[in-house]
């Protein structure tokens, strides 16, 4: 079996980490939290209420792309979270093995989620900048869209079904 990489994408607060964890449990695939790959400077910038620029994101996206390439080269399917808000960002991550899973919600849904989230460096005040940058995947991109509103387990099952994924034997 060749490797498949799922990039769970969307604005901050859409549930990328929670759904990725549920998918990882369901499939037995490795899961990397894209937020953990950010530099300390990026985290501090966001924590202080300033949106990242394209220049800020460039080294971060390059690190995620290296992570993806290593897994593909090793033949290991895996999941990584990354906002991947712009097509140009997804172009850095794109490979034949990559499928983008866009967790789509409206501003009100996401704002409500962010209001109840604790302990995350991304403040709710940056939500508008996230939506301003968001370019949902186009029909020519290898992607699926999953709407918010269901539980993470249900969303994970929707992804497994839509992409005809099978768990790895343990």
């Amino acid at each position: 079996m060749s490797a498949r990489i799922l990039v769970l994408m969307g604005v901050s607060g859409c549930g990328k980490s929670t759904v990725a964890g549920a998918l990882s449990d369901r499939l037995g695939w490795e899961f990397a939290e894209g937020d953990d790959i950010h530099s300390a400077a990026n985290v501090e910038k966001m924590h202080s209420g300033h949106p990242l620029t394209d220049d800020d994101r460039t080294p971060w996206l390059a690190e995620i792309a290296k992570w993806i390439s290593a897994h593909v080269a090793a033949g290991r399917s895996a999941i990584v979270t990354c906002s991947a808000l712009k097509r140009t960002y997804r172009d850095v991550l794109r490979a034949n093995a990559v499928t983008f899973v866009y967790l789509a919600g409206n501003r009100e849904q996401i704002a409500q989620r962010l209001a109840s989230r604790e302990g995350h460096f991304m403040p709710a005040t940056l939500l508008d900048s996230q939506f301003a940058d968001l370019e949902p995947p186009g029909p020519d991109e290898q992607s699926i869209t999953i709407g918010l509103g269901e539980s993470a387990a249900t969303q994970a099952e929707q992804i497994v079904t839509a992409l005809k994924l099978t768990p790895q034997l343990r």
Side-chain angles (χ1 to χ4, degrees), residues 30-54:
E30 183 181 344
F31 157 43
E33 173 56 66
D35 283 345
D36 294 343
I37 300 170
H38 271 297
S39 68
N42 279 3
V43 171
E44 179 56 35
K45 187 172 185 177
M46 288 183 283
H47 184 72
S48 62
H50 301 286
L52 297 180
T53 65
D54 289 351

Side-chain angles (χ1 to χ4, degrees), residues 92-116:
V92 173
L93 307 176
R94 197 177 318 279
N96 287 337
V98 172
T99 300
F100 294 95
V101 178
Y102 171 41
L103 301 180
N106 63 44
R107 191 193 183 294
E108 293 72 31
Q109 286 174 304
I110 304 294
Q112 186 175 38
R113 287 173 171 228
L114 287 176
S116 64

Side-chain angles (χ1 to χ4, degrees), residues 63-138:
E63 286 300 313
I64 294 173
K66 283 185 355 189
W67 186 92
I68 289 170
S69 294
H71 282 77
V72 171
R76 294 191 331 257
S77 294
I79 303 159
V80 63
T81 60
C82 175
S83 55
L85 297 174
K86 295 181 180 181
R87 184 183 186 107
T88 56
Y89 303 165
R90 293 188 296 278
D91 288 345
V92 173
L93 307 176
R94 197 177 318 279
N96 287 337
V98 172
T99 300
F100 294 95
V101 178
Y102 171 41
L103 301 180
N106 63 44
R107 191 193 183 294
E108 293 72 31
Q109 286 174 304
I110 304 294
Q112 186 175 38
R113 287 173 171 228
L114 287 176
S116 64
R117 185 161 76 170
E118 294 179 15
H120 194 275
F121 61 80
M122 180 75 153
T125 56
L126 292 181
L127 183 58
D128 288 336
S129 71
Q130 294 260 299
F131 273 104
D133 283 350
L134 178 62
E135 298 170 2

